[in-house]
Amino acid sequence: MKTRGTHLNPHNRFRPIVTDRQCDDGWYQDPDDEICPDSVATEVVNEQVRSIISRNRSPDVPFDQSINPYRGCEHACIYCFARPTHAYWDMSPGLDFETRLIAKPNAAEQLRRELDKPGYRVSPIALGVNTDAYQPVEKQREITRDILKVLIEYRHPVSIITKGALILRDLDLLSELADQGLCSVRVSLTTLDNSLKRKMEPRTAAPATRLKIIRELTAAGVPTGIILGPVIPFINDHEIEAILEAAASAGSERASWIMLRLPLELDELFQDWLQRHFPDRAERVMNRIRDLRGGKSYDSQWGRRMTGTGPYADLVRQRFNRKTANLGLGRHEPEPLRTDLFRRPGGQQISLL
């Protein structure tokens, strides 16, 4: 499909039977479309959540609290590590993940309740980590914007990861938070090639638009960096230096990188994508991925899952570190987001003891 990441809808690991929503039956096929047109509409249902802040104990991610305003993501990135989480909702990590979304309309209200709890301890909240908080559905729902308004009221620190241009709509709120040392943003920058972007991340902002996001956030005083990832062997790894140069020129202050990971159902989905778009190098790509993961498609061990191991991982790390040093990316340690300004609108200040 031209604007979907996959045409597959594999069974999820918790359910032996799943509705077949594939459309590759020849009925719609035309010479200009590899599979079929964008005939699967996006469906959004509401979930009234009882909690909104998720806690994380993983030692290889830099946050312990996060909020995801949506389940599933219409950006349709084929490599998305969050795809397997859709199985928890009796849906497929394939086409369902990008077309059957769950919105949390009471997220801001629930956030207030959780921040008002006497035992709440302040630490930065990562917004939109599992699925992008600025995916297309946010334009109408404005759940992310409502969450930011609450965080401003409480003077609560927040970090954001996105590849959606819609973040610029909220520049007023982000700059207000940043003025108090309460906000930072990372833009996911995976390629500078529009053709590759359309295949790999069909409903995301164009590379040039993401560079514009960096420029405008930086100009507004919002500390902004990039995540270069995932690095995919023989697909986008040749762009590492060019991506870092473009990001630095746009005003990025720092950068980090992540290697492709293929947990659970994502392995099948990614390999199908490779065969459709890069059949000439699919086997070579997968062989290198297995080299990174001890002979398997994925290794979930902490300390390894983000980068892999072996000579290729070392080479990527060396290239990345050399270029960031040359460009001055990350030359200075970022100021930690402030936690001492937290207040409850009713007047009670949190104890820092």
Side-chain angles (χ1 to χ4, degrees):
M1 300 177 188
K2 288 180 179 177
T3 58
R4 296 298 182 188
T6 183
H7 66 110
L8 295 182
N9 222 27
H11 294 186
N12 72 60
R13 59 196 177 280
F14 303 118
R15 193 177 185 189
I17 299 173
V18 70
T19 302
D20 186 359
R21 303 175 81 229
Q22 298 178 44
C23 58
D24 187 14
D25 58 2
W27 182 259
Y28 296 106
Q29 200 160 0
D30 69 59
D32 298 324
D33 203 341
E34 295 171 354
I35 305 297
C36 61
D38 185 16
S39 57
V40 181
T42 301
E43 304 170 11
V44 185
V45 298
N46 291 331
E47 175 190 9
Q48 296 296 316
V49 294
R50 296 182 179 180
S51 64
I52 193 61
I53 300 176
S54 299
R55 266 75 184 189
N56 163 66
R57 295 183 179 179
S58 172
D60 52 7
V61 295
F63 59 86
D64 55 20
Q65 298 196 123
S66 63
I67 292 176
N68 292 288
Y70 305 97
R71 305 187 196 276
C73 187
E74 200 174 5
H75 276 161
C77 304
I78 188 58
Y79 54 73
C80 183
F81 69 90
R83 281 183 178 272
T85 63
H86 231 44
Y88 293 113
W89 313 104
D90 284 337
M91 288 184 278
S92 172
L95 194 57
D96 282 354
F97 178 79
E98 54 196 77
T99 61
R100 300 176 68 186
L101 310 181
I102 301 171
K104 305 174 183 179
N106 68 326
E109 176 187 353
Q110 183 58 39
L111 177 58
R112 281 194 180 89
R113 291 196 187 100
E114 295 182 33
L115 297 181
D116 280 337
K117 291 180 179 178
Y120 178 76
R121 304 290 295 181
V122 182
S123 67
I125 288 174
L127 184 57
V129 175
N130 213 36
T131 55
D132 203 314
Y134 286 104
Q135 59 178 289
V137 68
E138 167 64 15
K139 185 174 183 179
Q140 288 77 37
R141 297 301 183 105
E142 297 193 356
I143 297 173
T144 299
R145 185 170 176 85
D146 288 342
I147 289 171
L148 290 176
K149 290 176 181 177
V150 173
L151 295 175
I152 286 174
E153 289 178 35
Y154 285 75
R155 295 180 183 170
H156 196 290
V158 61
S159 63
I160 299 170
I161 301 172
T162 188
K163 57 190 70 169
L166 192 58
I167 190 172
L168 295 179
R169 177 202 64 188
D170 293 343
L171 203 54
D172 57 333
L173 304 181
L174 298 174
S175 58
E176 184 176 347
L177 285 161
D179 283 346
Q180 301 177 74
L182 296 173
C183 177
S184 66
V185 174
R186 289 293 183 105
V187 176
S188 175
L189 191 56
T190 311
T191 181
L192 301 177
D193 181 343
N194 276 313
S195 176
L196 178 57
K197 196 283 308 183
R198 285 191 293 269
K199 294 173 182 175
M200 192 164 59
E201 316 164 321
R203 295 197 175 199
T204 60
T209 302
R210 295 188 216 181
L211 295 173
K212 176 185 176 183
I213 293 169
I214 296 170
R215 284 193 297 271
E216 295 200 14
L217 287 172
T218 301
V222 181
T224 306
I226 68 160
I227 296 178
L228 198 168
V231 175
I232 306 176
F234 312 120
I235 300 295
N236 69 343
D237 55 351
H238 64 286
E239 294 190 72
I240 290 173
E241 288 81 4
I243 289 172
L244 291 171
E245 287 178 2
S249 295
S252 177
E253 298 177 359
R254 56 193 56 87
S256 58
W257 68 281
I258 299 173
M259 191 70 74
L260 175 71
R261 30 186 187 135
L262 299 175
L264 303 167
E265 296 92 343
L266 187 53
D267 186 14
E268 175 190 355
L269 294 167
F270 181 77
Q271 291 201 50
D272 172 78
W273 178 86
L274 271 179
Q275 289 294 339
R276 286 188 290 119
H277 294 289
F278 299 100
D280 59 322
R281 68 187 91 164
E283 183 176 355
R284 187 180 179 206
V285 171
M286 289 308 302
N287 285 340
R288 181 53 53 87
I289 289 171
R290 294 185 187 104
D291 287 343
L292 288 162
R293 308 295 184 182
K296 302 179 292 184
S297 292
Y298 184 54
D299 179 0
S300 62
Q301 279 195 24
W302 287 334
R304 298 182 180 181
R305 59 180 185 155
M306 298 295 189
T307 60
T309 58
Y312 178 78
D314 292 340
L315 177 61
V316 169
R317 184 179 296 105
Q318 291 167 17
R319 289 173 59 194
F320 180 89
N321 290 344
R322 184 181 303 115
K323 193 64 178 179
T324 53
N326 290 342
L327 294 169
L329 285 170
R331 180 176 298 164
H332 305 291
E333 284 296 316
E335 289 291 327
L337 297 179
R338 296 184 66 174
T339 58
D340 60 314
L341 299 179
F342 182 87
R343 64 175 184 182
R344 295 187 172 95
Q348 180 187 1
Q349 180 131 359
I350 192 169
S351 171
L352 299 178
L353 300 179

